[in-house]
Amino acid sequence: MAVISSGLLVDGYRHRGLRHSGTVPPAPGTQPALAQNDPVLDLKGAAVGAASAPPGKVALTFDDGPDPTWTPRVLALLRRRHVPATFFLVGSRVLAHPELVRQELSQGDEIGSHTFVHADVASLPGWQRSLELSLTQAALASAAGVHTALFRPPFSSEPDAVTPAQLPVWRTIGRQGYLIVLADRDSEDWRRPGVAKILANATPAPGTGAIVMFHDAGGNRSQTLIAVNQLITDLQARGYRFTTVTGLVGLPPTAGDAKISSGLRLQGAMLATAARIGVIAVTLLTWLAWPIGLLMVLRCLVLVFFVRRHRRDPARRRDDPDFRPPVTIVVPAYNEAAGIEACVRSLAGSRYPTVEVIVVNDGSTDATAAIVEGLQLPNVTLISQANAGKSEALNTGIRHASHDIVVTVDGDTSFEPDTLRWLVQPFADPKVGAVSGNTKVGNRRRLLGRWQHIEYVMGFNLDRRLYDVLDCMPTVPGAIGAFRRQVLDEIGGISADTLAEDTDVTMATTRAGWRVVYEERAVAWTEAPASLSELWKQRYRWSYGTMQAMWKHRGAIRDGSPLGRRALPYLSLFQVLLPLLAPAIDLYAVFGLLFFSPGPIVAYWLAFNVLAVALAAYAFQIDHERLGPLWAVPLQQFVYRQLMYLVVIQSAVTAVLGSRLRWHKLERRGDFAAQAPAST
């Protein structure tokens, strides 16, 4: 990602900074800053050193290249006429067309710096001015292994156009070892005024020499080619000789291998590499941005379609008062002292005929066991064991279960009085092997809790309705899930192969041929992580565990089961691939805002948020939630969403490296029940 970011920065700076060709005449009444009218300025010292073209000699100069269309034509013309020239190059274009720089040097032409993005150096802060010069030198080192001491400021023209504001800046550049090269004759070919006008502007007065300014980039240069060819013919007929700028003023060439340090070569190589990566990244992200956006829209439409089907199915609203099978609730508990009392009291106090609650104290080092014992509830049993992990704690509880319906509940979860009634209803269908309840965030008063509340309602529960209709439920949450004892025995209990034991056991249930359904009326309140670090630990475990479970059950694709044909592709696309690509899209959005017109990016972002808020509002409405928290949806795009994406990236890297991830026990505060809104 850092490499891509560097490439995007180089490419973005290049695109944002490029200016059109041309010169800027001084404002009316501006006094020239130079007493002399010589075009080559040595500004290293306090006094202005200057040189001019001797009579009978002309140096043709070309600005703004290299250009893949016009520079080769200019070079072909010069080669055919046996005339050298000096090219003042834009560094970003050098990176794009290094072969043209090498071609210029190979046929005896000279090169100079014209900044990296054709920037008006007099208007830049010092750091950016230095950056423009150093990047151009690095680009030349990368393209041809050369360094130049010639510099022509963009938008400059003849010496009498130099302003008092420009001269101090040019002095600073001169003290860095550059010769400032202006022009005796500005052809103004960038205006495309016609060949005759260009020729008139470029022709030196009789008996004088000249540095003549043309352009080989920045637009159509067909008039320039004709005018240059005619100028060469006319001046040669008058006895003029053509040379480079340094040849004109009697200086040695300023570019050569001997002046290139290994550091500059390395800088040039890195810059060229970053530029290539930037071009590739911009191209790729441009092609990806819209398909990903359309994919997200399609997902929303698919979700709404299947959720509506789920709601219209009368079988999913069953309530058979005669179907009340006895239930065993298993609560694995490790250091759950903060919330275990609220959890157990809510379970034991359910409005349900026969409820057995088994709390498995899995080697807790706090007061978990003492709190449960102190409740002295008749239908609550405490089993203590050495710490063996959540999966083994669940299996212990299942082995001691007295009934055929086993409900698994996390120690940070609280049930509503009628939750069990709704949770067991789907088991009236003998094909149903497991039921997922509706998990809600209890501690939602702070922004982080509100974000998770939105995610639970908008993401998890909408997806579960879709999975329910498609008969491919991948996860019955550990906070509230119910299983037939027969199913658990058939699949070998709760496996410890993955960190997402709930996803693992659900996929195993589905692959065994049992239906897994979602019951939205079975509400459980859970405590969400209250800090970003705790949230990271939880989601990292979930994400990595889900990937483990997907890999473990990849055989479902070969089996042709609904899990393999529907759930695994959906999970792979929207919970793995899309989060892996999303940070690059966010980076591209920032790139677009910084370096291009922000209009399309802002429109894209607004459309995305309108869609997200609309989908969230729909999810809240069908889940009987107040719409107040939806103001936090747009804020998710700046912190929460990026955190979730980074979790997936870290999980994917961990999976690829084959690392083992330890179980992360979250710090509980016990405020899930106290903050939970009243049931609606």
Side-chain angles (χ1 to χ4, degrees), residues 18 62 65 74 197 201 224 245 276 305 319 373 421 437 480 482 515 523 541 543 655:
L18 285 175
F62 294 87
V74 171
K197 181 63 174 176
N201 291 338
T224 300
V245 167
R276 287 192 291 269
F305 173 78
D319 181 18
E373 285 181 337
R421 166 191 168 191
I480 175 172
R515 289 191 61 212
V523 174
R541 176 175 62 82
S543 178

Side-chain angles (χ1 to χ4, degrees), residues 281-356:
V282 169
T283 303
L284 180 62
L285 292 176
T286 300
W287 282 101
L288 283 176
W290 291 109
I292 288 176
L294 291 175
L295 193 63
M296 296 173 73
V297 172
L298 179 63
R299 177 176 180 258
C300 292
L301 295 176
V302 168
L303 277 173
V304 171
F305 173 78
F306 282 103
V307 168
R308 288 174 62 85
R309 281 189 57 184
H310 187 273
R311 297 187 70 200
R312 289 198 299 265
D313 186 353
R316 303 182 195 281
R317 294 193 295 272
R318 70 169 64 85
D319 181 18
D320 182 356
D322 296 327
F323 185 74
R324 296 288 190 270
V327 172
T328 295
I329 302 177
V330 178
V331 183
Y334 173 70
N335 289 350
E336 298 285 0
I340 194 65
E341 179 176 351
C343 172
V344 173
R345 286 190 182 279
S346 73
L347 301 176
S350 296
R351 286 197 291 258
Y352 197 80
T354 306
V355 180
E356 175 188 48

Side-chain angles (χ1 to χ4, degrees), residues 653-676:
V653 171
T654 304
V656 170
L657 295 177
S659 303
R660 296 289 297 175
L661 184 65
R662 295 175 57 238
W663 183 276
H664 294 300
K665 176 66 176 70
L666 299 183
E667 180 182 350
R668 300 302 183 188
R669 304 187 182 187
D671 56 0
F672 62 96
Q675 292 190 25

Side-chain angles (χ1 to χ4, degrees), residues 264-550:
L264 185 57
R265 287 183 185 275
L266 178 60
Q267 182 183 356
M270 293 174 63
L271 179 63
T273 300
R276 287 192 291 269
I277 291 173
V279 171
I280 294 171
V282 169
T283 303
L284 180 62
L285 292 176
T286 300
W287 282 101
L288 283 176
W290 291 109
I292 288 176
L294 291 175
L295 193 63
M296 296 173 73
V297 172
L298 179 63
R299 177 176 180 258
C300 292
L301 295 176
V302 168
L303 277 173
V304 171
F305 173 78
F306 282 103
V307 168
R308 288 174 62 85
R309 281 189 57 184
H310 187 273
R311 297 187 70 200
R312 289 198 299 265
D313 186 353
R316 303 182 195 281
R317 294 193 295 272
R318 70 169 64 85
D319 181 18
D320 182 356
D322 296 327
F323 185 74
R324 296 288 190 270
V327 172
T328 295
I329 302 177
V330 178
V331 183
Y334 173 70
N335 289 350
E336 298 285 0
I340 194 65
E341 179 176 351
C343 172
V344 173
R345 286 190 182 279
S346 73
L347 301 176
S350 296
R351 286 197 291 258
Y352 197 80
T354 306
V355 180
E356 175 188 48
V357 180
I358 298 177
V359 179
V360 181
N361 175 37
D362 188 40
S364 297
T365 58
D366 63 3
T368 297
I371 292 173
V372 175
E373 285 181 337
L375 295 177
Q376 297 184 351
L377 297 173
N379 58 344
V380 175
T381 301
L382 175 67
I383 300 175
S384 293
Q385 65 178 30
N387 182 256
K390 185 177 181 181
S391 297
E392 189 53 41
L394 286 168
N395 287 327
T396 297
I398 293 168
R399 285 194 297 270
H400 287 82
S402 304
H403 307 303
D404 292 332
I405 302 298
V406 177
V407 175
T408 60
V409 181
D410 288 342
D412 61 348
T413 302
S414 177
F415 274 20
E416 293 188 349
D418 288 324
T419 293
L420 281 178
R421 166 191 168 191
W422 299 122
L423 190 62
V424 301
Q425 278 299 306
F427 288 110
D429 181 351
K431 297 178 182 178
V432 172
V435 180
S436 166
N438 184 350
T439 311
K440 293 180 178 288
V441 173
N443 52 327
R444 59 176 75 169
R445 294 177 183 173
R446 295 185 178 180
L447 183 59
L448 186 59
R450 208 163 287 220
W451 280 339
Q452 293 174 84
H453 166 47
I454 294 169
E455 182 185 20
Y456 272 63
V457 176
M458 179 180 171
F460 299 160
N461 291 332
L462 282 184
D463 280 337
R464 288 194 179 103
R465 289 176 170 91
L466 176 145
Y467 293 135
D468 196 355
V469 174
L470 295 178
D471 201 21
C472 62
M473 187 77 66
T475 305
V476 170
I480 175 172
F483 296 85
R484 291 187 189 274
R485 176 76 171 270
Q486 176 187 348
V487 172
L488 295 174
D489 291 341
E490 184 177 329
I491 64 175
I494 310 296
S495 172
D497 292 343
T498 74
L499 289 178
E501 80 293 327
D502 48 3
T503 299
D504 189 0
V505 70
T506 307
M507 289 184 175
T509 300
T510 302
R511 293 187 68 189
W514 293 89
R515 289 191 61 212
V516 181
V517 301
Y518 173 61
E519 178 50 73
E520 62 190 81
R521 295 170 296 182
V523 174
W525 298 96
T526 190
E527 179 180 353
S531 68
L532 287 176
S533 63
E534 291 298 316
L535 177 64
W536 180 282
K537 292 177 183 178
Q538 182 196 67
R539 298 312 171 86
Y540 184 24
R541 176 175 62 82
W542 285 5
S543 178
Y544 186 59
T546 299
M547 291 181 187
Q548 288 177 311
M550 291 169 63

Side-chain angles (χ1 to χ4, degrees), residues 223-295:
Q223 293 181 6
T224 300
L225 286 172
I226 298 172
V228 169
N229 188 48
Q230 185 62 49
L231 180 67
I232 292 173
T233 299
D234 292 348
L235 293 183
Q236 284 180 337
R238 291 164 52 184
Y240 277 83
R241 291 189 301 116
F242 291 89
T243 184
T244 61
V245 167
T246 54
L248 188 74
V249 297
L251 295 173
T254 65
D257 289 322
K259 296 187 178 182
I260 301 300
S261 66
S262 58
L264 185 57
R265 287 183 185 275
L266 178 60
Q267 182 183 356
M270 293 174 63
L271 179 63
T273 300
R276 287 192 291 269
I277 291 173
V279 171
I280 294 171
V282 169
T283 303
L284 180 62
L285 292 176
T286 300
W287 282 101
L288 283 176
W290 291 109
I292 288 176
L294 291 175
L295 193 63

Side-chain angles (χ1 to χ4, degrees), residues 601-619:
I601 302 296
V602 172
Y604 185 98
W605 185 84
L606 287 175
F608 176 82
N609 276 280
V610 168
L611 182 65
V613 171
L615 184 64
Y618 178 65

